[in-house]
């Protein structure tokens, strides 16, 4: 018993004895966390505006990255390929609104959720059929190398990803608060019928929001793809956005960021310091179990609106 | 004019509450079940039994289990693969530790083990619903698979990390292990399925099923008539996981022969969920139809191009399979959320009126 | 306490409920006598539904007590309240939409069903017997409320008026001592209202069920209730026979919108 305790406590001593290494682990966690946040952002956008829990967001990330890489591989200049990818994601948003969402409007949320699971499978098969299933390298021109700040190693790619994520989040926040369409989106999120009655076109809003989620997916896809290659496991990593959402709350943009950071940092620290005790690979489930524990105490998430049940 | 209920008046509530109130249905079903036991072992070749019928019966059992939880009690679970893994590993440990134990008893105990794990991961369902719960069940999926992968005790310290079904006999016939023939394994799996399908039907048409559906349809109203949510949901988790556990044990013992944790990953969870959606949420028959559908599609996709003289690469087949599954899910949710079972019912209504249009 | 001293069936004693800063109920006291039909009326937002929700255990008061049949019941959860013999219907009809009418009503019998999972699984012996007994009881209620023809219809496909009737049937199936009805006639036409009034009075008569109901239609209230309680802004402002309440100045003020001081 004392041995087990000692084993659990020893990592704390490791942390204290080597603060620099700890800082590096921390930074790695933040970088991974921001990636999760990027995927989670797509979920939050769609959930806020349409109440749909889009399980396919992870595959949208994969699909966007596959499209981009596929186009570049066929010799199209990067800028043009990027523009085409944006076009593809917007077309996809139109198609999803028309084929999946419109016939299912007013269905129970659980039905819509399962429909996005179907979408998830379809897109995965479709993307791989068009672009091939082998692992592809995505070169965005930023070297995957590190430099030292105050004796701590910082990865250039991760830094770029962090900055991009921060810019994107700020832009989205401004978009929601300041623009007309942003305000319309928030109105729809609050009350569908009320928004309809004052003349906000619901279908347009849905298309817009799925398009924006598609753009966020492109950014996330580029970042993930540059780091670990474009392959199927991207969509599995994206599944981790789910616990992120539970921590952050389904309706909160800052929540998605904070949740992503908590999960990213938490699982890195757990893996590096406590993982060896139980044979490693606890990254696979740590996020979910953390979310599960969290759900029991604060079901609405850190920043989500309190769920009040009306009787 | 053959399929008619005219003249069959029900004179007691017992008759009205029978599973198949119409005489023709009863005869047909009895014949069907008998045929399912007798015909394939005599007629079907090794390929059909091993590639189609055995997995079909086993998946159908898992789909039944998930349908009880998701279709009847309304609790969405993405942890089916994890619960099936519990059954498989528990059965392996039990069968190897107590070689004298009858293999059916082993399956039953493995199911009980899965039920206990199911209860544990069902506890959050008291406070959370819908996709929140779905995420919680993902925790079960990933944690359980990791656990069986990491702890060597579960595989009896085998260096390969796989579990292998030990040879066991029942009534002097080899049921599991390399020497067990496909027809025998099929009959055992079908027997288990038939028994559990009957049990599921009995549960959902009585006290238990009504409590589950009440919680599913309107939890507040359910509480006000005295349904205790925690007890009811946990029982749904327990019984559902029991089914999945037995199915998981069968998957290794009667179908695969040996398996790693990879066999129980999240893909399996989705596959079983698809069976339930396509077959029909909240339908016993639907679970069986859905399982048949999902097992047969890949077979069809493999063979159809071959007969047309086309040769599709394996990877492309896999991708088309994914697309077809995805598209079918969306199609069924939009057109017929009650799945194949509902289509079957509509067909029967039509037949009952035939040849008159109304 | 015994049946010899016929005290009130339900006593609400100085109950206050708040949601954040909003005081939904303030020091509300009332009694429900065995066998009576009590109407609770008041303008929108007066706290009527909140009062029913407190009685059925969805909310708990931060002040005050609730006694049922002489025992303190302040802190019970809804299923426990149901077990005591209190049933209710909801303002916006809370039927189990995916289940048949028959199954909906059968859920009202759940509290009276016993047995274990194993016997249920085999549909054998006591499990089968009790199923049939309860079915017979439910059929009596179906006859009583004249809904034989829709027995096997899924509840979600029924028109609104019939849904309200099925919900009443479900509550009745529990054989409650006290029946709480939240606007049982909302959204009905005159004919349906007349039917519903007849059913409520018949239930009170034949099953000897005590009834407390919320209703907006004053004509209905005056016709069927023995006693009327008026709520306004979370307070009780009147309590008496329909005639007394009709003439009460505070009630007239509340409905005609005289300023509060």
């Amino acid at each position: 018993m004392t041995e087990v305790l000692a084993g659990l406590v020893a990592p704390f001593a490791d942390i204290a004895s080597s603060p620099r290494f700890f800082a590096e682990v921390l930074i790695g966690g933040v970088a991974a966390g921001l990636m999760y946040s990027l995927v989670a952002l797509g979920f939050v956008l769609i959930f806020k505006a349409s109440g749909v829990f889009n399980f396919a967001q992870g595959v949208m990330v994969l699909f966007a990255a596959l499209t981009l890489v596929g186009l570049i591989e066929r010799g199209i200049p990067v800028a043009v390929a990027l523009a085409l990818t944006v076009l593809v994601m917007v077309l996809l948003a139109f198609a999803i609104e028309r084929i999946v969402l419109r016939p299912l409007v007013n269905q129970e949320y659980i039905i819509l959720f399962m429909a996005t699971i179907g979408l998830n499978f379809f897109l995965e098969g479709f993307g791989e059929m068009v672009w091939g299933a082998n692992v592809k390298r995505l070169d965005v021109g930023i070297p995957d190398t590190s430099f030292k700040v105050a004796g701590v190693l910082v990865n250039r790619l991760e830094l770029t990803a962090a900055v991009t994520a921060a810019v994107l989040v700020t832009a989205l926040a401004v978009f929601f608060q300041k623009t007309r369409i942003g305000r319309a989106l928030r109105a729809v999120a609050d009350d569908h019928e009320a928004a309809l009655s004052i003349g906000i076109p619901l279908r347009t809003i849905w298309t817009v929001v799925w398009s924006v989620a598609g753009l966020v997916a492109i950014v996330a896809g580029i970042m993930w793809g540059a780091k670990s290659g474009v392959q199927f496991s991207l969509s599995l990593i994206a599944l981790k956005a789910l616990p992120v959402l539970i921590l952050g709350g389904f309706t909160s943009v800052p929540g998605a960021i904070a949740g992503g950071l908590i999960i990213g940092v938490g699982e890195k620290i757990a893996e590096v310091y406590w993982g060896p005790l139980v044979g490693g690979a606890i990254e696979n489930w740590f996020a979910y179990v953390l979310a599960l524990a969290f759900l029991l105490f604060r079901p609405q998430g850190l920043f989500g609106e309190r769920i009040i049940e009306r009787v | 004019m053959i399929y008619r209920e005219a003249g069959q008046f029900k004179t007691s509530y017992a008759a009205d509450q029978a599973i198949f109130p119409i005489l023709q249905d009863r005869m047909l079903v009895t014949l069907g079940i008998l045929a399912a036991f007798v015909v394939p072992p005599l007629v079907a070749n090794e390929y059909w039994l091993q590639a189609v019928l055995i997995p079909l019966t086993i998946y159908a059992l898992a789909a039944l289990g998930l349908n009880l939880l998701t279709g009847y009690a309304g609790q969405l679970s993405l942890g089916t693969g994890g619960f099936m893994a519990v059954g498989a590993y528990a059965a392996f440990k039990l069968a190897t530790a107590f070689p004298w134990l009858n293999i059916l008893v082993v399956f039953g105990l493995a199911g009980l083990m899965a039920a206990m794990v199911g209860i544990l991961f069902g506890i959050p369902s008291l406070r959370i619903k819908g996709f929140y719960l779905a995420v919680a069940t993902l925790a079960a999926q990933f944690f359980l698979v990791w656990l069986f992968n990491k702890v060597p005790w579960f595989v009896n310290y085998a260096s390969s990390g796989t579990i292998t079904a030990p040879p066991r006999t029942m009534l002097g016939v080899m049921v599991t292990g390399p020497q067990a023939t496909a027809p025998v394994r099929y009959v055992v799996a079908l027997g288990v399925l038939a028994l559990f399908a009957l049990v599921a039907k009995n549960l959902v048409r009585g006290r238990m099923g009504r409590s589950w559906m009440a919680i599913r349809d309107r939890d507040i109203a359910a509480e006000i008539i005295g349904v205790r949510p925690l007890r009811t949901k946990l029982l749904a988790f327990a019984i559902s996981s029991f089914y999945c556990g037995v199915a998981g044990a069968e998957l290794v013992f009667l179908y695969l022969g040996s398996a790693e944790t990879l066999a129980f990953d999240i893909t399996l969870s989705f596959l079983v969920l698809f069976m339930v959606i396509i077959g029909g949420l909240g339908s016993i028959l639907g679970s069986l139809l859905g399982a048949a559908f999902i097992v047969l599609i890949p077979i069809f996709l493999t063979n159809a191009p071959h007969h047309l003289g086309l040769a599709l690469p394996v990877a492309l087949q896999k991708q088309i399979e994914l697309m077809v599954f995805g598209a079918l899910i969306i199609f069924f949710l939009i057109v017929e959320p009650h799945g194949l079972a509902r289509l079957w019912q509509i067909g029967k209504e039509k037949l009952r009126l035939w040849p008159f249009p109304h | 306490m015994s049946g010899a001293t016929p005290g009130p069936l339900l006593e609400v004693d100085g109950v206050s409920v708040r949601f954040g800063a909003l005081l939904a109920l303030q020091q509300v006291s009332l009694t429900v006598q065995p066998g009576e039909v009590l109407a609770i009326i008041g303008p929108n937002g007066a706290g009527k539904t909140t009062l029913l929700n407190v009685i059925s255990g969805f909310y708990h008061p931060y002040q005050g007590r609730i006694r049922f049949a002489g025992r303190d019941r302040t802190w019970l959860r809804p299923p426990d309240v149901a077990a005591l013999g209190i049933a209710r219907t909801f303002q916006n009809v809370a039927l189990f939409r995916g289940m048949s009418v028959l199954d909906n009503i059968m859920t009202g019998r759940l509290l009276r069903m016993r047995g274990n999972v194993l016997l249920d699984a085999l549909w054998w012996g006591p499990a089968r017997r009790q199923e049939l007994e309860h079915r017979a009881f439910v059929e009596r209620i179906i006859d009583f409320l004249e809904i034989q023809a829709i027995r096997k219809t899924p509840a979600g496909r029924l028109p609104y008026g019939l849904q309200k009737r099925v919900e009443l049937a479900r509550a009745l199936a529990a054989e409650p001592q006290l029946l709480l009805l939240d606007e049982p006639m909302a959204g009905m036409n005159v004919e349906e209202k007349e039917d519903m009034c007849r059913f409520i009075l018949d239930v009170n008569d034949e099953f000897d069920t005590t009834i407390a109901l919320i209703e907006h239609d004053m004509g209905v209230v005056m016709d069927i209730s023995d006693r009327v309680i008026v709520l306004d802004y979370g307070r009780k402002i009147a309590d008496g026979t329909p005639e007394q309440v009709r003439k009460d100045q505070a009630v007239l003020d509340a409905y005609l919108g005289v300023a509060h001081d």
Side-chain angles (χ1 to χ4, degrees):
Chain A
M1 199 58 209
T2 46
E3 280 162 39
V4 174
L5 273 180
L8 286 174
V9 173
F12 286 110
D14 293 346
I15 292 174
S17 66
S18 172
R20 246 178 221 161
F21 179 63
F22 181 66
E24 276 162 20
V25 172
L26 212 59
I27 288 171
V30 168
L34 279 171
M35 300 279 199
Y36 296 146
S37 303
L38 272 179
V39 182
L41 255 183
F43 276 101
V44 170
L45 287 175
I46 289 175
F47 190 78
K48 254 177 108 83
S50 57
V52 177
F53 186 93
N54 179 25
F55 193 84
Q57 184 68 27
V59 168
M60 278 169 68
V61 172
L62 173 70
F63 188 75
L66 276 175
T67 309
L68 184 62
V69 178
L71 289 171
I72 293 174
E73 272 182 353
R74 278 160 184 72
I76 295 168
V78 175
V80 181
L82 193 60
L84 283 175
T85 309
V86 170
L87 188 69
V88 167
M89 294 313 281
V90 172
L91 284 178
L92 184 67
F94 268 96
I96 291 172
E97 194 278 328
R98 183 68 197 86
I99 298 169
V100 183
L101 296 180
R102 207 182 290 176
L104 285 174
V105 75
N106 292 332
Q107 280 283 7
E108 279 173 74
Y109 63 86
I110 206 88
I111 300 280
L112 278 155
F113 173 55
M114 291 192 285
T116 64
I117 296 182
L119 187 63
N120 184 80
F121 272 67
F122 182 83
L123 275 183
E124 193 183 317
F126 185 64
E128 287 186 356
M129 190 173 80
V130 175
W131 304 114
N134 48 330
V135 183
K136 297 184 183 60
R137 273 189 36 75
L138 176 62
D139 192 0
V140 287
I142 302 155
D144 193 0
T145 55
S146 304
F147 58 95
K148 278 202 168 183
V149 180
V152 177
L153 278 175
V154 180
N155 183 297
R156 281 198 179 80
L157 197 61
E158 288 178 351
L159 188 69
T160 318
V163 173
T164 315
V167 170
L168 196 66
V169 170
T170 319
L172 282 172
V174 171
F175 173 72
F176 267 108
Q177 297 296 335
K178 303 287 181 202
T179 64
R180 240 188 70 128
I181 202 151
R183 281 197 295 273
L185 282 177
R186 282 192 296 153
V188 173
D190 279 348
D191 190 334
H192 283 186
E193 281 174 29
L196 272 178
S197 67
I198 57 164
I200 294 174
L202 201 55
R203 285 174 184 171
T204 318
I205 292 293
W206 280 11
T207 313
V208 168
V209 88
W210 278 76
S211 302
V212 175
L215 301 189
V216 175
I218 297 178
V219 178
I222 294 174
M223 292 303 155
W224 275 113
K227 203 171 152 49
S228 40
V230 179
Q231 54 179 319
F232 167 68
S233 67
L234 257 185
S235 69
L236 267 189
I237 299 168
L239 216 55
K240 283 229 181 98
L242 297 175
V244 168
L245 289 165
I246 287 198
L247 252 64
F250 285 90
T251 51
S252 162
V253 171
I257 308 299
L261 291 178
I262 294 172
I263 296 276
V265 170
E267 71 176 16
K268 264 288 184 302
I269 291 178
E271 177 72 52
V272 171
Y273 289 100
W274 279 272
L277 293 179
V278 287
I282 59 177
E283 267 180 311
N284 286 346
W285 53 266
F286 181 81
Y288 301 96
V289 174
L290 188 66
L292 184 61
F294 197 81
L295 273 173
L296 291 177
F297 298 103
R298 208 182 147 78
Q300 73 271 34
L302 284 173
F303 299 92
E305 289 134 27
R306 200 172 163 69
I307 310 155
I308 297 172
E309 258 189 72
R310 292 214 34 163
V311 181
Chain B
M1 297 295 282
I2 298 165
Y3 191 67
R4 279 283 184 281
E5 59 184 284
Q8 299 181 27
F9 298 109
K10 292 154 213 155
T11 49
S12 71
Y13 295 135
D16 191 41
Q17 283 180 322
I19 299 179
F20 300 106
I22 302 175
L23 178 67
Q24 286 92 327
D25 276 351
R26 268 199 302 278
M27 293 181 343
L28 216 66
V29 167
T30 315
L31 272 177
I33 293 174
L34 280 178
F37 271 105
V38 177
V39 177
L42 295 178
V43 177
N45 59 19
E46 181 80 15
Y47 172 78
W48 268 92
L49 283 169
Q50 181 64 27
V52 181
L53 291 170
I54 292 176
L56 197 162
T57 21
I58 294 171
Y59 284 135
L61 184 61
L64 263 180
L66 183 64
N67 214 338
L68 292 180
L69 183 64
T70 303
Y72 285 94
Q75 312 296 307
L76 181 58
S77 164
L78 298 176
T80 315
F83 299 131
M84 288 174 77
V86 174
Y89 282 81
F92 174 71
K93 287 302 286 186
L94 286 164
T96 47
F98 310 101
W100 41 267
L101 215 52
N102 183 298
I103 200 68
L104 289 182
V105 177
V106 169
F107 288 172
L109 291 174
L112 281 182
M113 208 67 85
M116 280 189 265
V117 176
I119 290 177
L120 192 69
F121 282 95
I123 290 172
S125 67
L126 179 66
R127 294 203 55 177
I128 54 178
K129 297 174 194 169
F131 33 66
Y132 287 82
L133 183 66
V135 176
T137 55
L138 274 181
Q141 170 69 45
F142 287 109
F143 177 75
L144 290 169
V145 167
W146 172 85
L147 185 71
F148 296 130
N149 205 18
K150 283 295 164 194
V151 182
W153 179 79
F154 286 114
V155 294
N156 285 350
Y157 304 98
S159 55
S160 60
T162 58
I163 52 173
T164 307
R168 294 288 179 271
T169 56
M170 213 166 62
L171 307 172
V173 182
M174 198 60 93
V175 177
T176 69
Q179 268 96 50
T181 60
V184 172
R185 287 181 284 131
Y186 166 73
V187 168
V188 172
L190 187 67
V192 174
L193 176 66
L195 174 70
F196 280 108
L198 180 66
V199 165
K201 188 71 200 173
N202 283 341
L203 286 178
V204 299
R205 66 178 166 148
R207 189 170 67 101
M208 191 71 63
R210 288 191 201 104
S211 313
W212 286 341
M213 290 187 276
I215 286 281
R216 173 194 72 189
D217 283 354
R218 205 66 179 263
D219 51 357
I220 285 167
E223 281 190 61
I224 210 71
I225 50 161
V227 176
R228 288 174 201 282
L230 182 64
R231 214 185 103 87
T232 310
K233 288 179 187 173
L234 288 188
L235 216 70
F237 265 98
I239 294 174
S240 162
S241 305
F242 181 89
Y243 276 61
C244 292
V246 173
E250 287 186 346
L251 196 67
V252 173
F253 279 65
L254 300 179
Y255 174 45
L256 298 173
S258 70
E260 297 173 55
T261 47
L262 195 65
F264 299 98
D265 76 351
I266 184 135
T267 321
L268 181 62
S269 298
F270 281 125
L271 212 60
V272 178
L273 181 65
F274 287 178
M275 292 171 190
V276 172
I277 296 176
I278 290 182
L281 287 161
S283 160
I284 299 295
L285 175 70
S287 314
L288 312 184
L289 294 177
F293 201 73
I294 294 282
V295 170
L296 288 173
I297 281 186
I299 309 256
F300 175 77
L301 288 177
T302 317
N303 290 319
H306 182 71
H307 287 294
L308 292 173
L310 293 167
L312 293 182
V314 180
L316 186 62
Q317 266 173 28
K318 195 79 203 151
Q319 287 147 11
I320 293 177
E321 196 182 303
L322 284 176
M323 287 173 63
V324 170
F325 278 172
L328 276 173
I329 290 292
I330 297 172
F331 174 81
F332 270 100
L333 288 174
I334 290 174
V335 178
E336 190 47 75
H338 299 286
L340 290 170
R342 176 78 190 133
L343 293 179
W344 171 257
Q345 209 183 352
I346 292 171
K348 263 195 345 189
E349 296 288 321
K350 291 249 166 73
L351 187 60
R352 199 192 267 170
L353 299 172
W354 185 84
F356 311 106
H358 294 290
Chain C
M1 295 298 253
S2 70
T5 51
L9 184 62
L10 179 79
E11 262 180 289
V12 175
D13 184 8
V15 160
S16 301
V17 172
R18 72 158 91 222
F19 303 116
L22 177 78
L23 268 171
L25 289 178
Q26 302 179 44
Q27 301 274 347
V28 173
S29 298
L30 59 91
T31 58
V32 182
Q33 303 298 331
E36 74 175 338
V37 176
L38 171 75
I40 302 164
I41 63 170
N44 281 327
K48 303 178 299 276
T49 298
T50 307
L51 180 64
L52 286 204
N53 284 342
V54 171
I55 295 172
S56 44
F58 281 117
Y59 305 144
H60 296 294
Y62 82 94
Q63 228 177 39
R65 296 235 121 350
I66 296 169
R67 279 183 286 275
F68 186 76
R71 292 246 192 91
D72 187 85
R73 300 299 183 206
T74 313
W75 291 103
L76 293 185
R77 303 277 314 138
D80 305 309
V81 173
L84 287 178
I86 300 182
R88 78 174 271 189
T89 66
F90 292 83
Q91 198 173 342
N92 303 318
V93 188
L95 283 179
F96 308 124
R97 303 179 62 87
M99 299 163 72
S100 69
V101 166
L102 180 64
D103 275 332
N104 262 280
I105 306 174
M106 284 293 277
T107 59
R109 303 300 293 171
L110 280 172
L111 271 173
R112 295 173 185 275
M113 291 189 165
R114 294 282 167 271
N116 64 50
V117 180
L118 271 181
L119 285 181
D120 285 349
L122 301 174
W123 199 257
W124 186 66
R128 184 164 178 276
R129 244 189 335 267
Q130 77 168 350
E131 187 73 25
L132 298 179
E133 281 165 22
H134 289 295
R135 170 78 192 265
F137 183 87
V138 162
E139 287 292 339
R140 294 228 305 276
I141 289 175
I142 288 178
D143 287 344
F144 175 71
L145 291 179
E146 297 159 20
I147 44 178
Q148 298 92 333
I150 54 168
R151 228 185 246 125
K152 298 274 168 91
T153 315
R157 284 201 216 143
L158 295 175
Y160 187 73
L162 276 179
Q163 290 200 9
K164 285 242 160 197
R165 209 185 280 187
V166 173
E167 204 187 14
L168 177 65
R170 184 179 69 192
L172 283 180
E175 294 180 78
Q177 281 180 275
L178 173 63
L179 181 59
L180 309 171
L181 304 173
D182 196 346
E183 300 197 18
M185 282 158 248
M188 288 187 167
N189 61 32
V190 179
E191 240 168 84
E192 287 172 326
K193 277 187 187 177
E194 275 171 10
D195 280 348
M196 197 48 124
C197 282
R198 184 161 55 83
F199 290 136
I200 291 174
L201 290 174
D202 283 355
V203 167
N204 183 240
D205 252 22
E206 281 184 33
F207 296 83
D208 209 20
T209 309
T210 310
I211 295 172
L213 62 98
I214 294 176
E215 188 46 62
H216 276 299
D217 187 324
M218 280 307 135
V220 168
V221 169
M222 297 301 155
D223 279 354
I224 65 172
S225 48
D226 300 316
R227 200 153 59 87
V228 178
I229 282 173
V230 189
L231 292 181
D232 189 31
Y233 287 100
R235 291 174 194 278
K236 188 172 90 170
I237 58 171
D239 184 344
T241 62
E243 290 73 31
Q244 289 167 340
V245 168
R246 206 198 319 244
K247 296 189 192 102
D248 192 293
Q249 191 56 43
V251 176
L252 291 174
D253 288 352
Y255 272 90
L256 297 175
V258 169
H260 286 255
D261 337 87

